[in-house]
Structure formats: C-alpha cells, structure tokens
Amino acid sequence: AKIDVASGLDDSSLVWRSSGCGLGSPVLAQGVLEPPRTPRMHTTQTTEMRFFFAGPSFSSESNSTSVSGDVLGPMRSFCLLVENDLGDIHLYAASDRGTAIDFTRIPTGMVGRPSKDQARHNLKLRRRKIIATPSSEETRRYRPNRLNRFTSISSQSGLFAGTFRPFWVVSERGAPAVVQHRARHVAPAGGKDVPMAGFCGDISVPEKDSAQSNGFLTIHERIGQVGSQRITVFDGLSDIFAPLGLFPGGGLCIQKVPFGVTVRQVQFIDDASVSSAARPLYALLISREIEVDQGLLDDDGLGPEERQKIKDEKAKEKTLRQVEADLGGFDVEQEWVEEIERDNYFEVDTTLGRAPPLPKRVFEVWLVDAASGWNVIDSYQLKEIEHGASMEVMSLSELVPETRTSPASDQDNFDNDLFIVVGTGIIDNDGEDVQAKGRILLFNVSRNTDEEIERGEPQAEMTFIYDKDIALGPVTSLSCLTSEGKNRLVVGAGAEITIEQWTGAKLLQVGFFHVNMQVQRISLFKTFFLLSDAYDSLHFLVWRESDKSLTLLAKDYEP
C-alpha cells in the first residue's frame, strides 16, 4: 500500500513517496510513510494502480511520458486510480501545494466489490463442473491489466476500468467524474472474474478517420454458453462529453441542447403515426427577448404649432372638467389619469438623444425533431401582448352537443384527435389597471407523406386549428379528463375550473367550479381532482358524468 515514484531504477532518483493508497487514505501526501491504523482482520494490498489525465486531449500528449506545462490545464486533472485485492476502487486527484503534490481521494459513490449474485452464479457453475476451481498457483499468475488509459476518444482523455463493475473516469467541468459502463447481453461474470475481458481505445473507426473521432473496442462475456464472448466497436462518446454532456451519476448521462431561448414547457408528441422512438417529436413553449424600435417617438410628424395647439386643447378640456368636478362634488384627478394617452404622454428631446429600443418578450410554440439534431421544423408566434402560461399534448374526443334528438347515450361512436393545447394570458397596454384575460389555442400535428419528405419537407407540420377567449383570467393549468371513454379538456383560469368539450369545430363548456383563489395546478386521478391555488390551499373535487358537475368533497380550511 505504498507508492514510490522514481525517474530511474536507483533509489537516488526517487521523486515522490506516500503510503496508504490501498486502504483508501483521504490524502496521499508526500513523505507520509506510516500507513493509517486499521483493524487486524482488515488486511489488503494494492493489485493495480494507474496514473492518468482526465480532460480534453492534446496532440502533445500522445506518445509522451513527461508531464509538461501544456498537458495540464484548468480543464484537466492529474489522477490516480487504485484497485486492491478486495475489489475496492480509490480515485485520487492531484493538487499542487507549491512545494509538493498531494493526492486527495474523490468519493465515487459506487461499490467496486463483486456482488453476491455473481458469487452464487460462479458457485453454481463450479458445482456443475462447468468451470474449474481456481488454485492458489493460478491466483498468483500474471493478471491482465484492468485499468486502461485512453488519450483520444471523442477528443477526451481518461481511464476505463474493466473491474467487477466496469466504469469510466472522465472530466466534467474540470473535475474527474465516474460513469458506469453499460453493455448489452453481459453475463454476471460467465465464470470469469470480471465481465469485461478486454478493452482497446484510440482506434480508427470506418468513416471516422479523423483524430477527434477515434473509437474504442470492448470484449465481454455473453449470457448463455460459458466461454462465449461478444466484441463491440463504438465510434466514440461525443454525445456525453462536454460542452454538451453532463454526468449526474448512476451510469446515466444528460446532453444539453442549446436553443438560445428560454424554454417554458416541453411535451412529447405521444402519437405513433407522427412520432416514434427513432424519430421523436417534441412540442416546446418558449420565450425570447427582442428589442422594439421606438424611432417613431423621435418624430411624430407634427410641427411646433400643431403640438402647441394639441396641448392647449388638452389644457382647456382639463379646465372644463375641473369646473364640472367642483360643481358636482367629485375628484377629477382619478378620472383624468384613466384617460391619459400613453403614446403622447412623454416627449423626447432629440437634442439629448434618441428614444432607446424597448425590450419585449415574445412567446412561441415550436415543433422540434430530436432525431435531426433538435431542429425546429415548425413554429407559431403568439400575439404581442400574449404570454404563454401552460401547454399540454392530449387527445380530445369529438363529441356532438347534446340535443333532444341526440342524447348523450347515443354518442357511443366518436373520434379522438391529438392536439397541442396552449393556455395563455393576455395583458394589454393598460397593464395592471385592468383584469387580465386568457386564451386557449389548439394545434394539430400531421405527418407529411414520404414523397414530401423526399423533396426536403420536414417530417411533420403543426397547424393552428382553433382558439377561444377566456374572460376569467390567464389560463394557468391544462389537463385531460377521461370519463367513460370520453376525453375532455380541464382548464384552470383565474379562480375558475371549466370543463371544455371538443365538438369538432369549437370548445363547448359543459361544467365549472369556482374557488376562492387563483388556480395554480390541477392533478387528476380517474375522475377525482386535486387542485392547488395561489394561497397554497387544496381542494378535492369529483366529476360526475351523469349530470356533468364538479362536486367539492374536501377542502383545506387552514392552509
């Protein structure tokens, strides 16, 4: 469990020495020769160790054994990985103290020892004499390396550990991170000590002969007949490396997709006729910042005499209203403020400067194809004074309104149409002086024909179908209610909950419920509603299909 780093074969060339690496000491400091105190029954030794760099690869690193200034950098780490005879893995990262280099242990959050399932599996194979019991001489034989460095896989340097649980050590934002390796049809061990029998990195893959697209090759034990192996060739790991890759842990990776806008809502188009696992489509509600030119304020097209005439008329009208207010006994200032014309209230002195651009926010609905590099294949821009508040992808049943000649019991045959439903809030030029309103927009997604796709058309397109004005307030919540096989739209707008039914041409309100505060979110379970309001209070409702009503079952009276 002691490390000696030397530049030659004699003791005089010793440059660094420490102790305690096999036991997982928190810090490997230079000159520390006494190992940490451990229980007598806990004896272990280091079986393999490897120094490596984690981070973006450099051309100067290839075939180089010296640590030069250009090899280290702010996004690269000098690391040490140690494996002991028990299967424990200890990862260290170097830190320069100025006078010496210390290695600090980094928690990996993973177990390196073999599992009990693997031990039971190997024991079963030995009892059936499928594999031989290893002797003491075989255990002392030379063991192939399990810790493999790589220098140019997807322009990254790091280490692949073919241990009991294979994993990668790569750089994430300049710090070493551990990602577990997932392979298909891997046996628990297949009678071998480790599932991965071999690894070869930095190989040239066909049609990817550039230095930045090198791949790697793995050999692992297959499920089934003992001794059968599987060779897999990968073209790199560019999808999970920085700057677009993130490593949250647990063997998973997250890829960042920069759109350059603020994404408010994301919904998957769950329709096999339009979207599939190979070509998934997503609906996005986004907002972007724009600058509106106010050059018209610099020059309104009027002369000095015309402007003075308008001011005199406004002053005369204000004096007349003041006289009427004095005779009537009411305050005129409140009424006068409400009738101020905002466009002509401020004047721009062009001698001091021009009117600056006005920042505004524009909301849009995007249809994105994830398989083609997250390209936007269709979009729809909302109104200038309209803000996107909610969005859902759902199927609505096309139901004919009930009449005396067509009761609800006769409407057993109906179609379900897939829609992208968007709820908005409208704030006009009066701002908060008036009550906000809302709007519901329905979009249909249709797939283009194969001939149109071959001509260069996108896979699908989004079509605006219908919109409905909501005077109750902004639409903050959208949900789909399924009752007796019928799908209806649940809208939370202001302090109201409405049930909307799609008739094929418009949305028809068939039920409602009034709460005391603005509705924030609605959660449905079968026909039961659980809604939260702006005061953190809860309401529990139920929908009855017989009379199409919402009934209050419980309420949080002390939120």
Side-chain angles (χ1 to χ4, degrees), residues 126 131-142 193:
R126 294 190 185 98
I131 60 175
T133 303
S135 61
S136 59
E137 295 181 358
E138 294 179 352
T139 57
R140 290 194 298 267
R141 290 180 179 178
Y142 173 75
D193 293 336

Side-chain angles (χ1 to χ4, degrees), residues 168-190:
W168 297 78
V169 180
V170 292
S171 177
E172 167 61 19
R173 298 184 179 180
V178 175
V179 183
Q180 292 185 355
H181 179 77
R182 304 295 186 183
R184 301 177 60 186
H185 311 294
V186 179

Side-chain angles (χ1 to χ4, degrees), residues 360-405:
K360 285 190 176 182
R361 184 174 297 169
V362 177
F363 286 79
E364 295 180 359
V365 181
W366 284 3
L367 184 63
V368 179
D369 185 5
S372 62
W374 296 90
N375 293 327
V376 181
I377 60 179
D378 204 350
S379 63
Y380 180 87
Q381 182 174 336
L382 303 181
K383 295 180 180 179
E384 182 181 358
I385 55 177
E386 194 170 19
H387 295 249
S390 57
M391 183 184 68
E392 289 289 339
V393 177
M394 64 182 71
S395 295
L396 298 179
S397 302
E398 186 175 339
L399 302 174
V400 181
E402 298 181 14
T403 60
R404 294 182 180 179
T405 59

Side-chain angles (χ1 to χ4, degrees), residues 18-37:
S18 183
S19 179
C21 61
L23 301 174
S25 299
V27 178
L28 299 180
Q30 182 176 359
V32 178
L33 303 180
E34 293 295 332
R37 297 182 59 184

